[in-house]
Amino acid sequence: GYMEKYESQVYQHGTLGMLVPGLFEGTLTVAELLEHGELGIGTASGLDGEMVLLDHTPYLVQSTGEVRILKPEEKVPFATVHFEQAKDTFTANGLTQKQLGEQILANYPYKNLFFAVKITGRFSKVKTRAVEKQTRPYKTLTQVADEQALFEAEAITGTVIGYFAPEMFQGMAAAGYHLHFLADDKSMGGHLLDFEIEQATVQLQPFATIEQHFPMADQEFLEKDLAIADLHAQIKQAEGQN
Ligand code: ZN
């Protein structure tokens, strides 16, 4: 078969669904998170911005537009990370985010798998958002998403990193693509809403295993009622899914 003798795994702390009712407090240290991967995405405690983990360095794009590196002792409520072991590499020219996403699913047998997407190169257009740091009492994720900061850039070099999750895992992750961006010069980044590739290298890494880690010591999580009824609609709204 296509993937004989190829296996890699992804690690996730927390679930996207936990953020929906406002479980924003960090529950795993960055130091512990980095034991499980060198690439990935996430958010910081209090939903303070968008994390972009590149080269084992946890950058945080804040709603002010500032990019800083998270300290080892800082905590994250939700993050997904992996060690790089790309399976497929190809060059993309002049593709929109939507076109690239469709092309990947048309060309690779990955629609029922979790896989990582890494894109490095030049983008003619990038549109991102960064959520604003929240304080208690926490609002819901959709309320926070209404207050996000938006950033746009043209003719910019950088890296896209993130994941695809099959539709049936909506809630555990964001169904479909969930991608973050960081400019090479660290001038701009965040949760991707849209982009257009000028010329870039695309790498895919399908996962045979997902390790889902829960914040077992967090009393608030243990007691929270995680209602699934409106989850799908709320995640789609908050994550900018079409
Ligand atoms: Zn995101």
Side-chain angles (χ1 to χ4, degrees):
Y2 183 79
M3 285 188 279
E4 261 171 63
K5 291 180 183 166
Y6 176 88
E7 282 219 353
S8 78
Q9 65 178 53
V10 60
Y11 173 92
Q12 182 167 281
H13 173 72
T15 65
L16 187 64
M18 284 165 44
L19 300 180
V20 171
L23 290 171
F24 300 157
E25 203 70 21
T27 45
L28 183 77
T29 65
V30 167
E32 287 170 287
L33 180 70
L34 295 193
E35 289 173 15
H36 300 276
E38 61 195 344
L39 284 172
I41 60 174
T43 187
S45 197
L47 221 59
D48 183 13
E50 313 285 339
M51 189 188 79
V52 190
L53 176 60
L54 290 178
D55 306 320
H56 222 254
T57 307
Y59 298 97
L60 185 71
V61 181
Q62 297 176 284
S63 62
T64 55
E66 197 185 322
V67 179
R68 69 176 182 89
I69 295 173
L70 284 162
K71 298 184 192 81
E73 66 273 20
E74 286 186 82
K75 289 182 175 180
V76 297
F78 174 63
T80 313
V81 302
H82 69 281
F83 289 105
E84 188 160 31
Q85 193 189 336
K87 178 159 193 321
D88 315 287
T89 302
F90 60 94
T91 302
N93 292 292
L95 287 182
T96 63
Q97 176 172 8
K98 189 168 186 291
Q99 287 169 334
L100 176 70
E102 289 171 355
Q103 186 179 309
I104 289 170
L105 293 175
N107 293 349
Y108 298 90
Y110 296 167
K111 67 176 181 185
N112 293 323
L113 294 172
F114 279 81
F115 61 88
V117 180
K118 185 183 179 191
I119 311 168
T120 48
R122 194 166 173 82
F123 300 81
S124 44
K125 191 182 79 177
V126 173
K127 187 177 177 189
T128 62
R129 73 107 196 268
V131 286
E132 204 169 303
K133 185 178 169 76
Q134 302 295 305
T135 50
R136 288 183 183 279
Y138 291 137
K139 295 174 217 168
T140 66
L141 187 64
T142 41
Q143 286 169 331
V144 174
D146 288 341
E147 299 166 4
Q148 64 201 5
L150 298 175
F151 305 104
E152 284 185 71
E154 289 180 2
I156 189 165
T157 60
T159 302
V160 171
I161 183 73
Y163 301 92
F164 174 89
E167 187 82 29
M168 69 177 290
F169 292 96
Q170 177 82 295
M172 178 178 168
Y177 294 94
H178 181 183
L179 306 173
H180 287 189
F181 175 79
L182 189 64
D184 282 348
D185 63 5
K186 319 292 187 282
S187 63
M188 185 260 191
H191 174 101
L192 271 168
L193 296 175
D194 199 15
F195 64 81
E196 206 169 306
I197 292 173
E198 192 179 308
Q199 182 171 42
T201 300
V202 182
Q203 291 175 296
L204 307 177
Q205 181 169 340
F207 301 111
T209 304
I210 177 159
E211 183 178 357
Q212 174 63 60
H213 185 255
F214 294 93
M216 276 190 71
D218 187 63
Q219 203 61 30
E220 202 178 2
F221 162 67
L222 295 175
E223 288 170 7
K224 196 80 172 179
D225 288 320
L226 295 163
I228 199 164
D230 299 326
L231 194 70
H232 183 62
Q234 289 182 52
I235 288 176
K236 281 178 86 163
Q237 190 187 336
E239 297 304 302
Q241 296 174 343
N242 298 313

